[in-house]
Amino acid sequence: MGKRIFDIAFSLVALVLLSPLFFVLAIIVLCDGSGGIFFTQVRVGKNGKTFRLIKFRTMRSKSEASGQLTIGSGDHRITRSGSILRNYKLDELPQLVNVLLGQMSIVGPRPEVPRYVALYNEEQQHVLDISPGITDYASLQYFHESDLLAKSENPEETYINEVMPAKLQLNLQYIREQSFISDCKIIGRTVRKIFA
């Protein structure tokens, strides 16, 4: 209950304080090609319940049809403004709305798409025991995940066999160790990582 109160307070304050930035980013995204301001994608949340995750659009219209993984900063599907938003994680800011709606938490395992969740083993499925989050240990460890995948000859195979299992282990570690103090540390490390 305490974590939910923190999530509501944090997301409300952040949405109010960042509203001018949201307005500016919305105009930039809207002017950079067709496809609208926001991109929504079905993700799997707590207890396997699906929801629509919200992001600022960073890719050209209908790009998801050619794959759900983004492969480095050179991915031709990413718009000019999208590369900047992704670099500073600004595209993730609309997920504060997901937090406010109770679909996500500020800190928690990043929500995955159903296609990859279907590959989880019994132990890995425990990441679905809690609400997914905007940031966590895995987000910090794989801050530039798409650039890592860009170096692979088969990015999806590398993601499924190497990256995803490693991230899930970090997710499970978070669940075992989670506390208000650890959440604050993760938030602090995330902010420092963005501005580093």
Side-chain angles (χ1 to χ4, degrees):
M1 188 63 178
K3 183 166 185 173
R4 179 61 188 146
I5 292 173
F6 173 80
D7 286 338
I8 293 172
F10 189 102
S11 57
L12 269 175
V13 171
L15 284 167
V16 171
L17 294 178
L18 296 174
S19 56
L21 177 60
F22 269 68
F23 181 72
V24 172
L25 293 178
I27 292 175
I28 292 172
V29 171
L30 193 59
C31 292
D32 194 5
S34 62
I37 297 170
F38 299 106
F39 166 76
T40 64
Q41 185 181 55
V42 174
R43 297 289 180 102
V44 181
K46 184 177 180 180
N47 298 324
K49 185 177 179 180
T50 58
F51 68 98
R52 285 206 164 269
L53 177 138
I54 312 167
K55 290 186 177 187
F56 279 119
R57 180 179 60 82
T58 60
M59 303 179 77
R60 293 179 175 82
S61 181
K62 301 179 181 179
S63 292
E64 194 176 10
S66 57
Q68 293 181 314
L69 292 177
T70 50
I71 315 302
S73 55
D75 193 319
H76 68 279
R77 298 172 299 170
I78 300 175
T79 62
R80 288 172 298 176
S81 64
S83 62
I84 297 172
L85 265 62
R86 282 172 174 264
N87 190 48
Y88 292 99
K89 305 300 180 182
L90 294 173
D91 60 316
E92 310 282 358
L93 289 177
Q95 288 162 47
L96 290 166
V97 175
N98 289 120
V99 174
L100 196 59
L101 293 174
Q103 299 163 330
M104 292 178 65
S105 188
I106 297 297
V107 181
R110 287 294 296 162
E112 189 58 271
V113 295
R115 175 182 178 182
Y116 295 130
V117 172
L119 302 176
Y120 288 4
N121 61 35
E122 186 175 352
E123 180 189 17
Q124 292 167 341
Q125 288 174 8
H126 284 296
V127 301
L128 304 178
D129 290 346
I130 66 171
S131 295
I134 294 178
T135 185
D136 66 336
Y137 291 139
S139 300
L140 293 166
Q141 184 72 27
Y142 290 92
F143 198 75
H144 298 292
E145 178 185 307
S146 62
D147 291 327
L148 173 67
L149 294 176
K151 300 174 183 176
S152 172
E153 292 184 4
N154 190 326
E156 184 165 47
E157 185 176 296
T158 298
Y159 182 76
I160 292 172
N161 296 326
E162 298 177 29
V163 176
M164 188 171 76
K167 289 169 67 175
L168 287 168
Q169 281 303 309
L170 289 168
N171 295 158
L172 292 170
Q173 177 188 338
Y174 168 75
I175 292 173
R176 291 192 298 269
E177 300 174 356
Q178 66 175 318
S179 68
F180 179 72
I181 298 299
S182 65
D183 282 4
C184 289
K185 288 180 178 179
I186 290 172
I187 292 170
R189 287 177 60 190
T190 301
V191 172
R192 289 197 299 273
K193 194 90 170 177
I194 290 171
F195 288 101

